[in-house]
Amino acid sequence: MYDVIVIGARCAGSPTAMLFAQQGYRVLLLEKARFPQDTLSSHYIHQPGVALLNRWGLLDRLRAAGCTPINHQSYEAPGVRLDGFSLPVDGQRTTYAPRRYVLDPILADGAVAAGVEFRDSCAVNDLVIEDGRVVGVRYTTPGGAEATDRARLVVGADGMRSLVARKTGAPFVVEHPRMTCTYYSYWAGVPAHFELYERQGRWVGVIPTNDDLTLIMTYFPQDEFNQVRTAVEPAYLEAVRSTAPELRERMAAGERVEQLYGTGHQENYFRKAFGPGWALIGDAVHHKDSITARGITDAFLQAESLTGHIGEDLHDEAALQEALEAYEEDLDEDFANFYQSALNVAELKPEGRADFLRKLVGHQDLIDRYFATLSGACSFDDFYNTELLTLLDQS
């Protein structure tokens, strides 16, 4: 009998398991993949996420894994370019965009070091439900045997297509249509910082990652997915050429070293976060278009929220209910603005945003604070303060 079983050991599940174990709970962490294994990702970890890695004692391992440090961000759209960087969080300003086959094992190792029992190559097939309460899981072991384990709480960190959400009937409480599709690959010989380029109907993101490679991502409207997917490489290269021609020149001097990866299935939602014996975290509870690269950082923050609210109260039914309600409130209060921001950017209509950002040119403090609203280092309310409003009135 475990206190907690966590399904999924990537950027939501491993930190959740680790933090529960550090509170003294007996935790089982199940992962269907065999680590290390890559997965679709925008890779970027914003300053709040880097600060948590440092708090958890894992940042030095990430640095040692050959992940390029990032200290410069730019945004370019017709008629405007901003250069700067987000404000720090807990002293951490440098960011990173690690490959997932690098990051996820570091997180899982952190969980194991905290006392978590980690089993990869284990596919969870079903939940054990008794008297309307989730009390365990059924899964297939690497050897093909069927196994059952029980726990006080089962946490679904199992992604957009969450089995826990499906088996418990967790409803969507907020939902919007898909906005974009994306394709990306990795390039050698293309020096870069964290670069964002936008024009009508197109978005390009550029991020240094491991092994001196550069991740170059392109975004298209969702209604172009079927067309783009039939000729991905020409669409990808044309998107860069028409949106960021100088970047296209850099790419011509470099080399694409992996295939193109992509998806047209970027859902936008919040689900009901918990029920009797279960909770959802990460993409299982909340997903938004990857265009703002919030997924990893948000997963880390949710792990802190869920485990922090539960604390020592896992086996106190009334206190556990209150803790899960508080966690659900955090999801709404802490991520609603980021969710709406992602939907706004995913419209791929830069005119209004470019007009506003043009007014920031020449005001470096405001530029850095604007980037800080995207990272979470500065709240939207703090950004839209008297100084900014005065500037806008004068423009």
Side-chain angles (χ1 to χ4, degrees):
M1 177 77 177
Y2 294 91
D3 295 305
V4 182
I5 296 175
V6 180
I7 304 172
R10 294 194 182 269
C11 56
S14 283
T16 300
M18 176 189 71
L19 293 168
F20 272 130
Q22 289 174 348
Q23 293 171 337
Y25 294 119
R26 187 179 182 218
V27 182
L28 174 63
L29 177 62
L30 299 172
E31 169 57 45
K32 65 181 178 181
R34 174 73 174 177
F35 280 0
Q37 187 178 103
D38 215 355
T39 189
L40 290 175
S41 178
S42 56
H43 299 358
Y44 191 66
I45 307 176
H46 293 271
Q47 281 80 1
V50 176
L52 288 176
L53 285 174
N54 186 58
R55 182 189 304 175
W56 299 339
L58 301 177
L59 183 55
D60 286 344
R61 283 202 56 189
L62 180 63
R63 289 169 172 156
C67 191
T68 302
I70 301 170
N71 294 286
H72 175 203
Q73 180 174 354
S74 63
Y75 167 86
E76 188 170 323
V80 62
R81 178 183 171 99
L82 302 180
D83 286 89
F85 209 48
S86 167
L87 305 177
V89 173
D90 295 340
Q92 302 298 321
R93 196 175 194 189
T94 298
T95 58
Y96 302 88
R99 296 292 295 264
R100 294 297 296 276
Y101 61 74
V102 173
L103 174 64
D104 295 346
I106 290 173
L107 298 174
D109 288 348
V112 171
V116 171
E117 185 175 337
F118 174 49
R119 302 177 192 168
D120 58 0
S121 300
C122 289
V124 176
N125 307 311
D126 205 354
L127 302 179
V128 180
I129 301 176
E130 296 176 357
D131 298 323
R133 183 184 186 90
V134 174
V135 296
V137 301
R138 296 187 178 93
Y139 60 97
T140 304
T141 70
E146 297 300 314
T148 299
D149 278 299
R150 300 170 70 89
R152 168 69 171 164
L153 181 69
V154 173
V155 178
D158 48 346
M160 285 194 301
R161 298 168 182 83
S162 168
L163 176 139
V164 176
R166 186 170 71 252
K167 293 292 185 177
T168 59
F172 294 107
V173 294
V174 175
E175 188 175 15
H176 288 84
R178 299 170 186 169
M179 304 285 287
T180 75
C181 57
T182 182
Y183 283 92
Y184 67 86
S185 192
Y186 304 91
W187 292 73
V190 181
H193 52 276
F194 182 17
E195 306 171 30
L196 303 173
Y197 301 90
E198 184 176 19
R199 71 170 177 85
Q200 184 72 23
R202 295 292 183 268
W203 178 279
V204 176
V206 184
I207 313 177
T209 184
N210 288 89
D211 304 320
D212 295 321
L213 297 181
T214 298
L215 168 68
I216 301 178
M217 307 186 75
T218 56
Y219 286 81
F220 309 84
Q222 177 65 31
D223 61 13
E224 295 184 21
F225 178 52
N226 288 333
Q227 176 185 351
V228 170
R229 70 191 299 191
T230 62
V232 172
E233 186 172 25
Y236 174 82
L237 294 175
E238 174 58 22
V240 177
R241 186 202 64 77
S242 62
T243 309
E246 186 276 330
L247 171 63
R248 183 68 186 94
E249 293 176 6
R250 275 184 278 157
M251 292 166 65
E255 176 187 11
R256 179 163 63 86
V257 296
E258 293 190 29
Q259 70 181 64
L260 283 155
Y261 306 94
T263 181
H265 300 282
Q266 300 203 99
E267 313 298 343
N268 299 293
Y269 61 78
F270 287 83
R271 284 187 174 115
K272 174 66 179 173
F274 71 96
W278 62 271
L280 301 177
I281 198 165
D283 289 351
V285 73
H286 166 50
H287 190 274
K288 52 188 169 291
D289 197 289
S290 67
I291 200 165
T292 52
R294 291 287 319 176
I296 297 173
T297 303
D298 288 356
F300 289 178
L301 293 168
Q302 290 164 20
E304 283 279 341
S305 172
L306 176 64
T307 60
H309 282 300
I310 291 176
E312 300 177 351
D313 295 328
L314 180 65
H315 295 281
D316 181 325
E317 186 62 34
L320 177 61
Q321 177 71 19
E322 290 182 4
L324 292 171
E325 289 173 356
Y327 164 62
E328 190 169 63
E329 290 174 3
D330 279 358
L331 291 173
D332 180 50
E333 294 175 2
D334 296 345
F335 300 104
N337 283 336
F338 292 124
Y339 181 74
Q340 188 58 54
S341 176
L343 295 182
N344 292 343
V345 174
E347 290 181 347
L348 302 179
K349 297 177 180 178
E351 292 86 353
R353 182 165 42 256
D355 289 343
F356 165 71
L357 295 177
R358 200 173 293 118
K359 297 174 182 179
L360 303 185
V361 174
H363 301 272
Q364 192 60 51
D365 177 63
L366 290 176
I367 291 171
D368 290 344
R369 282 170 48 204
Y370 169 72
F371 286 139
T373 66
L374 307 181
S375 75
C378 175
S379 73
F380 288 86
D381 288 342
D382 287 342
F383 177 63
Y384 289 98
N385 61 13
T386 302
E387 178 186 358
L388 177 62
L389 295 176
T390 300
L391 174 65
L392 297 179
D393 288 340
Q394 294 173 347
S395 300

